[in-house]
Amino acid sequence: MSMGWPSARAGQAVGLLGGSFDPAHEGHLAITREAIRRFRLDRVWWMVSPGNPLKARRPAPMAQRIAQAETVARHPKICVTPIETLLGTRHTAQTLDRLRARYVGVNFVWLMGADNLVQLHEWRDWHHIVQTVPMGVFARPGDRLGARLSRAARIYRGARLPMRAAPLLARAPAPAWCFVNLPMSSASSTAIRAAGNWSPCMRKLVKA
């Protein structure tokens, strides 16, 4: 596991996919591959967070989650990183501000599933997030209608780019977002944990 800072040059387009990755799965990889293709991204960083402030449940140890994510992220343009730990941030708005200050000239794009767009208005300083970087939103089964009717989608409907303009998103001034309607994988971290494939016993073994 590399604990160093990920690399990016001014002018590059870098997608940011944040989350606990507890565990990472094929759905994360599918979203990332489509983001690289649709939004013409040079890199995508999987930002493995210390923990989701909106969730009471504690995630598996960081080292285990990163090691497992690296086995799933089978793409040369994907970088798995604990960058929020390096930055000392817990909330997305703060993370974005510090990333933009550190990586001057890099075109960041926030990537998320449509289910996150539904609850985006619950995130701390969510208006600041939307107005700071462009956002790429991917449909997941059952989330399409809810995402389109969400509070964030309604307030920022004038900033939505049509799907055909997806290649322009990374260099569009914020607020800007693009909804990509795809037959996505229904895999979820919650389902994987429920199936017993990511158990507390595994965490203790790795932590030891």
Side-chain angles (χ1 to χ4, degrees):
M1 175 182 67
S2 174
M3 294 297 291
W5 297 91
S7 62
R9 301 189 308 273
Q12 287 188 320
V14 176
L16 303 173
L17 185 63
S20 58
F21 292 93
D22 190 27
H25 52 73
E26 292 297 322
H28 295 123
L29 183 59
I31 285 177
T32 302
R33 285 174 171 165
E34 285 299 324
I36 291 170
R37 183 174 71 88
R38 298 281 188 130
F39 303 134
R40 310 285 174 83
L41 302 176
D42 298 297
R43 301 276 191 279
V44 173
W45 296 352
W46 283 11
M47 302 194 308
V48 183
S49 66
N52 187 334
L54 296 180
K55 295 182 179 179
R57 179 186 167 278
R58 291 183 61 186
M62 175 72 77
Q64 180 187 349
R65 288 183 284 134
I66 287 184
Q68 193 272 345
E70 287 176 339
T71 68
V72 176
R74 301 181 301 273
H75 197 289
K77 291 187 176 182
I78 300 176
C79 173
V80 180
T81 173
I83 197 166
E84 286 186 304
T85 298
L86 299 176
L87 292 170
T89 60
R90 289 291 301 277
H91 297 278
T92 300
Q94 185 182 25
T95 297
L96 292 176
D97 284 344
R98 294 193 182 181
L99 283 177
R100 294 175 72 233
R102 184 177 183 90
Y103 294 90
V104 178
V106 173
N107 300 295
F108 288 113
V109 177
W110 185 257
L111 305 174
M112 61 182 173
D115 55 333
N116 282 325
L117 183 63
V118 172
Q119 63 172 356
L120 183 62
H121 64 278
E122 299 176 6
W123 295 18
R124 179 177 293 185
D125 298 326
W126 73 275
H127 284 288
H128 182 68
I129 295 171
V130 179
Q131 295 167 11
T132 297
V133 297
M135 302 190 309
V137 183
F138 290 88
R140 293 177 54 161
D143 291 322
R144 295 168 185 167
L145 181 61
R148 291 193 178 100
L149 299 178
S150 68
R151 182 176 176 184
R154 286 185 283 108
I155 291 175
Y156 290 98
R157 61 182 177 274
R160 179 180 173 183
L161 299 180
M163 201 181 308
R164 64 179 180 276
L168 306 177
L169 179 68
R171 291 170 176 81
W177 61 286
C178 185
F179 187 92
V180 178
N181 189 7
L182 297 172
M184 299 296 293
S185 166
S186 59
S188 74
S189 298
T190 301
I192 292 171
R193 292 194 301 268
N197 296 324
W198 189 246
S199 68
C201 294
M202 292 173 63
R203 296 181 198 171
K204 292 177 182 178
L205 179 63
V206 172
K207 189 173 182 180

